[in-house]
Amino acid sequence: MYARFFGGSHPAGHKETTRRKAVASPDMPPRKVQLMLKGRRCVVSNGARVTLGQCIAEPVGEDDVALHASVSGTVELVTEEKVVLRNDGKDSVCPELFPWSESHAPNARQLAVVMRNAGIVGMSSGDGQPAHKKLVAAAAAPVDTLIVNGVECDPWHTADHRLMLEQPDKVVGGADLLRQALGVKRAIIAVAGDKLDAVNALEAEREALGEHGVTIKTLRRRYPLGEERILTGVLTGRQVPLGANPIAVRCVVFNVATAAAVYDAVVEGRPVTHRIVTVTGTAVVKPRNLLAPIGMPVRELPDSTDGLRGELVKTYLGGPMRGRVIHDEDSAVEKNAAVVEKDTAAVVVLRVAGSHPRRGKSVCIRCGECVSACPMGLLPLYARTGEEGGREACVSCGACSAVCPAELPLHEWMSRKEEGQ
C-alpha cells in the first residue's frame, strides 16, 4: 500500500455513516424530472409518451452526448434549456436498446460512438465532461496505461465505494473494455486503503473473469489523491506537466462509475439514466446511498433519509471541500432548482453550527499550513497578491482552506482567475 505525493491532508472522512449502506432506490420516486439540454437537439415534443432509456435529445457537436429519459411517462414541458418529464411510476423500459452484438470487443472509434450515444460523461464528482472525447484523445496519443479511479478521497462520499462493492463485475468489465479499445496492456484500478472490502470484491471478480490485463492497486488514503494528475504521478512516477492532463505522459484516467457505465452500454445496451448519490451530512437523519434518476430535484432526496434536523442548514452539491453550495439559510445562496446530474456523486447537508462558516475578518498569520497542504506546491497564502506561484496549476481541492487556522477562504481565492477578486 503506497501513496506518496507532496502536500495533501487528512480531513475527517465522515464515511462511516454510509459506507455500509447498500444502494437503494428513493422511497418516493420523483413526480417530475428535469433534464438539462445544454445545447442538444430535443427530439420529443410536449405531450409525447416516453419510456425509460429513450433518447430525448441528440448530440449536436463533438462535445455533446445524447440525453435519455430517466423515467417513463409524459413530456410536460420543452424549452431551449430543459425537458420536464412527468413520471408515471411504471419505469417502462425502452424497447430500442441495443447491446454490442459483434463477436469482438469494440475498438476506440467504435466504443467512442457507443459512449456518445449512451450519454456517458466523466462521472466523478464535478466532472461531467464527455467521456468519448477523452477516449479518442487517448487513442490518438497513444497511451500505454489506463487508470480507473476508485480512490474516492472526498469526505462524506461513498457512492464509488458501494459501486465497487456491489457491482464489481461492471467495474472490472468496463475497465477491460476500455483497455482493449485503447490497445494497452495494463489497466490499473486504484482503490484507497479504507475500502479493503471493495478491493477484495474487485480481486475476486478479476480472478473469476480471468482478466489478467486488469490489476488492482491499493493506495494509502490521503486527500486529494483522487485528482487525476496526482493519481497518475503516484501510480506511474510520471509527472503531468503544468496545464496538461495525464494523456501528456501516456496515461488516461476514468472514474469507476464511468467504467461501469461503459459496461452497461456495451454489454446491456443501457444508456446513463441513473447514478448513485450519497445523501449525508450532520443535518441528515438517516444518511443513505440512493440510485437516483438523472434530473431528480436535489431537494427531494432528503425525503428518503427521514428528512433533515436543525433549523439552519447548508447544502453542498459534492461536499464541503470542493463542492458548490446550492442552499444556505444563513446567507443569500438559494438554488432550490438544482437537480441530480450525471456527475452528482454526493449531496451533503450540514447544520450551520457544524459547517464551519468562514469568518472572513481574520488575517493570515503566515503559519505555512496551506503551503504544506497544497499538493501542487503553490503558495495559497499569497492568493490575494498574485504571488501564489501559478494559479493555473491549482486543482481546486480545497486542502488549503481546510487546514487554515485563520479560516480564510483560500480555496475561493485560488479558484478566481483574476487577481485580487
Side-chain angles (χ1 to χ4, degrees), residues 336-412:
N336 278 333
V339 298
V340 172
E341 299 280 4
K342 295 175 183 178
D343 60 346
T344 304
V347 174
V348 181
V349 189
L350 303 179
R351 288 177 290 183
V352 170
S355 62
H356 304 295
R358 302 294 174 192
R359 291 194 295 267
K361 297 182 180 180
S362 299
V363 296
C364 178
I365 61 174
R366 297 296 192 269
C367 66
E369 289 293 328
C370 61
V371 178
S372 298
C374 179
M376 306 309 290
L378 304 180
L379 306 173
L381 72 166
Y382 296 124
R384 306 204 82 178
T385 67
E387 302 172 293
E388 72 288 327
R391 190 169 306 187
E392 65 275 12
C394 177
V395 295
S396 298
C397 65
C400 52
S401 289
V403 300
C404 179
E407 296 187 340
L408 297 174
L410 299 175
H411 177 207
E412 291 83 350

Side-chain angles (χ1 to χ4, degrees), residues 11 13-15 18-19 123-125 148-165 190-195 197-198 219 221-227 231 254-257 275-278 289 318 322 344-346:
H14 299 292
K15 297 175 183 283
T18 53
R19 60 178 299 160
M123 296 180 71
S124 60
S125 182
V148 179
N149 186 355
V151 172
E152 196 176 43
C153 60
D154 287 75
W156 302 99
H157 291 218
T158 58
D160 287 350
H161 184 178
R162 295 309 307 182
L163 172 65
M164 293 184 287
L165 188 59
V191 188
D194 59 349
K195 306 174 183 63
D197 51 355
L219 307 177
R221 183 180 71 86
R222 185 174 180 84
Y223 182 85
L225 177 60
E227 204 283 327
L231 183 59
F254 290 96
N255 181 259
V256 288
R275 75 147 297 135
I276 302 172
V277 182
T278 302
N289 295 295
R322 50 183 167 182
T344 304

Side-chain angles (χ1 to χ4, degrees), residues 226-254:
E227 204 283 327
E228 66 173 14
R229 286 167 285 183
I230 297 172
L231 183 59
T232 298
V234 168
L235 288 172
T236 68
R238 306 171 189 174
Q239 298 305 312
V240 180
L242 180 66
N245 60 46
I247 294 177
V249 292
R250 305 186 308 283
C251 298
V252 63
V253 183
F254 290 96

